[in-house]
Amino acid sequence: KAGVTQTPRYLIKTRGQQVTLSCSPISGHRSVSWYQQTPGQGLQFLFEYFSETQRNKGNFPGRFSGRQFSNSRSEMNVSTLELGDSALYLCASSLAFSGGEQYFGPGTRLTVT
Amino acid sequence: QKEVEQDPGPLSVPEGAIVSLNCTYSNSAFQYFMWYRQYSRKGPELLMYTYSSGNKEDGRFTAQVDKSSKYISLFIRDSQPSDSATYLCAMARAAGNKLTFGGGTRVLVKP
């Protein structure tokens, strides 16, 4: 069974630009969560989707948004990029509605210059 | 104060030793507890998943949860150089799949 896939794997953007990251969960998984990982703050929760509905949102500005499609694939968008948005963006999928085992993808490394 | 505290290490052990890792937490609402291993520039890999208090063993790995003390542990027996990585504890409440992570402990197993 294929794992969680994320595209692109690496991305370099300029301040002020916007970016869209994509995540395909494990087949059959309907829960997708997004996390930001930085050396200073560690892994921080961005948002969670289940069956195309956002169920939870972390403490990030409105520049960070996401959505989930009917096939459970998810995208996250960051508008008006700032230098501090440079991070590893990780997607995790779960079969369960709550409290399930979560499996992470390899991440998208975003560098903002 | 962070909800989940984890010693950043690094923790250096000789090959074959037992690696002992732990996390403390402050939120009694956490019900599900996980340990992840993360190699440099890779995504976290799920090692252990436990619900509520108790012990769980899987091969060389043993996870313990003590909800009364708000303390969880991971033990790695017969450690190998390939176990050198950052180990992250993570917790979730009863509703939803939002994970709250510890900061991670870097482990180095020396041959």
Side-chain angles (χ1 to χ4, degrees):
Chain A
K1 193 181 236 187
V4 179
T5 58
Q6 292 186 246
T7 56
R9 293 292 311 280
Y10 303 92
L11 209 48
I12 300 175
K13 289 287 188 179
T14 304
R15 270 182 304 174
Q17 289 185 315
Q18 74 163 19
V19 67
T20 299
L21 312 181
S22 180
C23 170
S24 292
I26 293 171
S27 179
H29 286 197
R30 291 160 62 192
S31 169
V32 173
S33 300
W34 288 88
Y35 295 83
Q36 181 196 65
Q37 187 174 31
T38 59
Q41 299 298 318
L43 269 150
Q44 292 185 287
F45 172 79
L46 280 158
F47 23 68
E48 176 200 353
Y49 290 88
F50 188 91
S51 292
E52 303 178 67
T53 300
Q54 186 180 88
R55 297 200 299 171
N56 261 314
K57 191 176 192 307
N59 295 325
F60 280 82
R63 301 184 296 106
F64 292 81
S65 63
R67 58 178 175 167
Q68 187 179 32
F69 301 96
S70 58
N71 62 357
S72 295
R73 190 177 69 85
S74 177
E75 288 181 348
M76 67 163 281
N77 183 277
V78 187
S79 63
T80 319
L81 284 166
E82 300 177 0
L83 294 178
D85 297 333
S86 294
L88 181 67
Y89 290 88
L90 292 157
C91 164
S93 80
S94 177
L95 181 62
F97 179 77
S98 288
E101 299 177 10
Q102 294 195 50
Y103 300 91
F104 281 83
T108 294
R109 185 162 296 279
L110 171 65
T111 302
V112 182
T113 62
Chain B
Q1 186 186 2
K2 293 183 179 180
E3 279 190 290
V4 181
E5 298 280 357
Q6 186 175 6
D7 190 320
L11 178 62
S12 182
V13 300
E15 183 176 354
I18 294 176
V19 176
S20 175
L21 303 165
N22 58 75
C23 288
T24 58
Y25 62 96
S26 57
N27 192 336
S28 58
F30 290 134
Q31 298 288 332
Y32 301 91
F33 304 90
M34 284 151 260
W35 285 95
Y36 288 87
R37 176 174 63 193
Q38 186 174 27
Y39 293 111
S40 181
R41 309 186 80 79
K42 304 284 187 183
E45 173 192 6
L46 180 64
L47 291 176
M48 298 292 283
Y49 169 88
T50 53
Y51 170 67
S52 199
S53 287
N55 295 355
K56 183 176 180 179
E57 188 173 318
D58 185 0
R60 297 186 297 116
F61 300 94
T62 299
Q64 292 182 349
V65 174
D66 182 349
K67 290 190 67 182
S68 62
S69 301
K70 297 189 178 68
Y71 186 91
I72 70 170
S73 301
L74 177 71
F75 300 95
I76 307 173
R77 293 182 297 280
D78 187 26
S79 59
Q80 303 296 311
S82 58
D83 293 325
S84 297
T86 295
Y87 290 80
L88 298 147
C89 63
M91 308 178 187
R93 302 179 190 198
N97 285 314
K98 172 186 173 182
L99 292 178
T100 301
F101 282 86
T105 300
R106 193 158 67 90
V107 172
L108 179 61
V109 181
K110 294 184 176 180

